[in-house]
Amino acid sequence: MRRLIYGLAAAALVVPLVVGASVVANPSAAPSTEFMVFYADGGRRAAVAAIEANGGRAVSTEPKLGYVLAQGAGAAFADALGRSDAIVGISTDRVIGYSSAALAARGRGPSAGTENGTTATGAPSASPAQVGGGHLTASTGKAATGTLNASTGKVSAGGRLSAAEGVAHRAVAGSAETAGGRSKETAGGGSGETARGGPKETAGGAFPDGAAVRGSAAEPLAARQWDMRMIGADRANRVAPGSNKVLVGVIDTGVDGKHPDIAPNFNRALSRNFVTDRPKDRNGEKLDGPCEYKGCKDPADIDDDGHGTHVASTIASPLNGKGIAGVAPNVQLVNLRAGLDSGYFFLKPALDALTYAADNGIDVVNMSFYIDPWLFNCRNNKADSRRERLEQRGIITGMQRALDYARGKGVTLIAALGNSSTDLGNPRSDGESPNFPTNSSRSRSIDNSCLNVPIESEGVVSVSSLGPSGRKAIYSNYGVEQADLSAPGGDTLDGKGVSPTRSILAAAPEAALRRANKINKRGEPQTATVVRDCHGTECAYYQYLDGTSMAAPHATGVAAIIISRFGRPGAGGVTMDPASVERLLYATATPKGCPSPRAFEYRYFGQKETHTCEGDEAKNGFYGKGVINAYRAATISQ
């Protein structure tokens, strides 16, 4: 999926750069390219001197994260800066977004705020092609770390979809389009009828396709939530539904704050949008598409993609007699949008979102994305130019500083492990990077020194994905060093044939579904991946998606339950040391050992793919330290 690199520093986070007593600024001589120049400890003045000595201009500084926002004459300027011992990384801040001066003035922080073709029967229409992409972790890759839009993955950490995952997504009629860059979770299919009177049975087996999707005495669509039953969240809801003093940040493509199954828990006052859309890129090609709002700045309660709304719904859809219930249905949701409509998650918006979370009492954040344009960031890869190595060092350094800052302020960090079917402990090649500008990616050899960020950053709890049988989902990344926990994320291929209801059902923005022609003018679902739930004259929509982007929010919800129970009064309402939250996440998880044999073979449409699990029951590459358990978290003594 496409990744967006975005623009200028937000005034609320960035203070004027002062050298001695004077502000360094000369607007009339502003060079063409902006850079985030990360300096070594104590190296700010030396970094500023290097910027000026090489013909650049220091615009502002962010002392919390140790970087200078500078302007200079392109790649040559960056290469020259990289020779200074005071500078540890340089990342391009491509001018695609910009800060909101009005919001900054109020001191509220930075900016204002397929599927390879298969037939409906599941028969592949063509050989599976890899869907690559990135940030949306689940499926667009994007928002899961790669939200998955399958693997452009963009919303889910990681991004690309493996061939098998691409097939799975395509195999379900109407599965979600890959969004912009990495894969967003591909929509698994559910029956497209309204949820009144019970869904039709889909082909593919009894679990969860048959009885598990018939009526329920709980929330109207609860019977479709095999994921919540797997982790005991249905029982946890009755014991410890969470506290509205707990603030959960969703760093994603946005959150539909008006959705009936999100609005009761949506904190509009704290929500922010750290990106500004741009209709076309510098080459005149479509990037985000037409702007819907003045200045191309979406309000903080809008999600044009759907990935972030799905994530938020899984965490905290309320118990309100509508739709579904989230893992922690009483906690508050805060939209911290860092992803573009096109599915890119660039460094600056992610830094702004994490810093804002730290400074505003957010207790836990969900990160289902990876930082574009590099799927794997290598400090010293011989296949990369000097300029490219400096950029990747900037991403590794900048994100680690922001994560450390947030964690130091009491923010627990949860991330999706990614959707590339890759052993992150033994990566061999990266054919997705750099994914921006368009058509700039190439294949390069990599090794375990190269990092998928933030998945492999320090202090982050990374989550692999499971299908309804409990097996690791075919698309999910794995690795004994990288997988910390596992959680249901859906797998349409986990069972006989292909079934949409093996995916994760959660809220979807009506406007996004209409644009994608998934509902018609009368509001009727046109795909098996969409479900409508009506109460009187009010109807709300839900969609099935797959991906590690869908797995991570289950763990985020369990973390919110733990903080609700054991947090103490603090900024924003309550606070709890992230190390203590992590300890209880691991202590309450259900241990799950590697399969036997360890080389697990996935079969689909006459093809097969083998993933090898390393480690023991206490910690292994498929399941980490176990499968999250909401009920145990709701009942354990500290």
Side-chain angles (χ1 to χ4, degrees):
M1 103 184 252
R2 307 181 295 258
R3 304 288 179 283
L4 294 188
I5 309 228
Y6 113 99
L8 267 126
L13 284 185
V14 185
V15 298
L17 176 65
V18 176
V19 177
S22 61
V23 176
V24 179
N26 180 13
S28 64
S32 59
T33 305
E34 291 191 340
F35 299 91
M36 285 176 285
V37 181
F38 294 90
Y39 50 81
D41 289 346
R44 181 183 67 82
R45 290 183 180 277
V48 171
I51 290 167
E52 294 175 339
N54 287 286
R57 181 170 74 92
V59 178
S60 58
T61 185
E62 173 45 281
K64 294 174 183 174
L65 305 185
Y67 70 83
V68 178
L69 187 66
Q71 291 181 331
F77 171 71
D79 285 344
L81 280 185
R83 296 187 178 92
S84 170
D85 291 338
I87 294 171
V88 296
I90 304 171
S91 180
T92 305
D93 187 21
R94 297 168 179 78
V95 184
I96 290 179
Y98 48 86
S99 64
S100 164
L103 179 68
R106 290 200 296 270
R108 294 302 300 173
S111 47
T114 184
E115 298 55 30
N116 275 331
T118 65
T119 64
T121 62
S125 61
S127 61
Q130 244 190 12
V131 180
H135 278 175
L136 274 199
T137 272
S139 157
T140 165
K142 190 135 192 92
T145 257
T147 285
L148 250 197
N149 232 283
S151 137
T152 173
K154 204 127 183 70
V155 180
S156 203
R160 335 162 236 164
L161 283 189
S162 66
E165 185 182 22
V167 172
H169 288 302
R170 290 169 273 174
V172 178
S175 58
E177 297 77 5
T178 84
R182 294 261 162 133
S183 0
K184 294 183 170 187
E185 289 40 336
T186 75
S191 58
E193 74 299 325
T194 27
R196 284 272 153 257
K200 302 168 189 171
E201 185 135 31
T202 53
F207 177 71
D209 313 294
V213 294
R214 296 202 170 98
S216 168
E219 300 294 272
L221 303 182
R224 296 173 178 264
Q225 294 185 276
W226 60 267
D227 52 321
M228 297 300 172
R229 292 188 292 279
M230 175 182 282
I231 65 172
D234 53 337
R235 292 182 294 150
N237 287 170
R238 306 182 198 118
V239 179
S243 166
N244 64 6
K245 293 182 179 180
V246 172
L247 302 175
V248 179
V250 180
I251 305 180
D252 215 291
T253 60
V255 175
D256 178 7
K258 297 184 180 71
H259 191 287
D261 225 2
I262 285 179
N265 289 337
F266 185 70
N267 189 317
R268 185 171 280 96
L270 282 178
S271 293
R272 295 289 181 272
N273 175 9
F274 297 98
V275 299
T276 300
D277 295 332
R278 184 169 180 175
K280 297 182 180 180
D281 65 16
R282 65 192 181 195
N283 298 319
E285 298 295 327
K286 179 181 177 181
L287 193 59
D288 292 318
C291 296
E292 300 95 339
Y293 298 91
K294 184 178 180 180
C296 291
K297 191 78 173 182
D298 292 346
D301 61 354
I302 295 295
D303 178 13
D304 288 330
D305 179 277
H307 186 276
T309 297
H310 196 283
V311 166
S313 176
T314 297
I315 296 168
S317 273
L319 292 167
N320 59 354
K322 300 175 182 178
I324 67 167
V327 177
N330 281 5
V331 304
Q332 293 190 59
L333 294 163
V334 181
N335 175 26
L336 303 175
R337 181 177 170 182
L340 280 292
D341 285 351
S342 52
Y344 290 105
F345 283 75
F346 290 115
L347 180 60
K348 183 63 168 60
L351 299 184
D352 288 347
L354 284 165
T355 306
Y356 178 86
D359 291 340
N360 286 274
I362 305 302
D363 297 295
V364 55
V365 295
N366 189 93
M367 301 178 289
S368 290
F369 61 88
Y370 69 83
I371 299 295
D372 296 296
W374 301 91
L375 177 59
F376 286 94
N377 293 272
C378 310
R379 293 181 181 273
N380 293 296
N381 193 324
K382 294 179 180 179
D384 300 329
S385 68
R386 179 180 178 80
R387 173 72 193 90
E388 290 173 331
R389 291 196 296 271
L390 286 169
E391 178 173 54
Q392 292 168 78
R393 291 173 192 168
I395 291 172
I396 293 170
T397 300
M399 276 299 285
Q400 190 61 63
R401 289 179 178 179
L403 293 164
D404 289 346
Y405 181 74
R407 199 166 186 272
K409 291 271 191 159
V411 183
T412 297
L413 309 164
I414 309 290
L417 195 61
N419 308 307
S420 305
S421 299
T422 297
D423 180 353
L424 294 178
N426 188 31
R428 301 294 181 83
S429 64
D430 175 9
E432 307 294 335
S433 306
N435 61 16
F436 188 89
T438 304
N439 299 321
S440 61
S441 62
R442 64 181 189 275
S443 180
R444 58 179 184 151
S445 295
I446 60 173
D447 58 28
N448 199 27
S449 67
C450 301
L451 304 178
N452 187 311
V453 176
I455 299 166
E456 296 185 86
S457 300
E458 295 179 11
V460 175
V461 177
S462 295
V463 185
S464 67
S465 180
L466 309 179
S469 72
R471 77 177 192 182
K472 183 188 77 66
I474 186 171
Y475 56 79
S476 179
N477 287 344
Y478 55 104
V480 70
E481 299 172 17
Q482 293 79 13
D484 295 309
L485 290 167
S486 55
D491 187 346
T492 60
L493 295 176
D494 187 9
K496 182 179 179 181
V498 176
S499 174
T501 54
R502 295 176 190 146
S503 300
I504 305 300
L505 184 69
E510 180 177 347
L513 296 178
R514 287 188 183 280
R515 280 192 298 273
N517 296 316
K518 292 181 179 179
I519 56 177
N520 62 20
K521 292 181 179 179
R522 296 185 299 276
E524 298 165 340
Q526 300 298 292
T527 167
T529 64
V530 173
V531 176
R532 179 172 66 174
D533 180 38
C534 296
H535 299 269
T537 60
E538 179 186 65
C539 290
Y541 294 87
Y542 302 79
Q543 64 178 329
Y544 285 98
L545 296 178
D546 284 352
T548 56
S549 287
M550 283 54 263
H554 289 85
T556 300
V558 174
I561 291 174
I562 290 170
I563 297 167
S564 296
R565 296 190 62 214
F566 302 115
R568 56 181 176 78
V574 297
T575 188
M576 186 171 177
D577 177 28
S580 296
V581 179
E582 293 161 20
R583 177 180 60 80
L584 288 173
L585 278 171
Y586 299 144
T588 57
T590 302
K592 189 174 177 68
C594 287
S596 182
R598 289 175 177 269
F600 188 82
E601 191 173 86
Y602 297 88
R603 293 177 178 271
Y604 56 96
F605 303 134
Q607 301 180 60
K608 60 184 179 180
E609 182 174 325
T610 301
H611 299 172
T612 301
C613 180
E614 298 179 345
D616 54 25
E617 185 175 83
K619 177 72 160 69
N620 62 72
F622 277 18
Y623 308 106
K625 295 183 179 180
V627 181
I628 60 164
N629 190 316
Y631 185 71
R632 289 190 65 189
T635 56
I636 192 174
S637 297
Q638 190 172 16

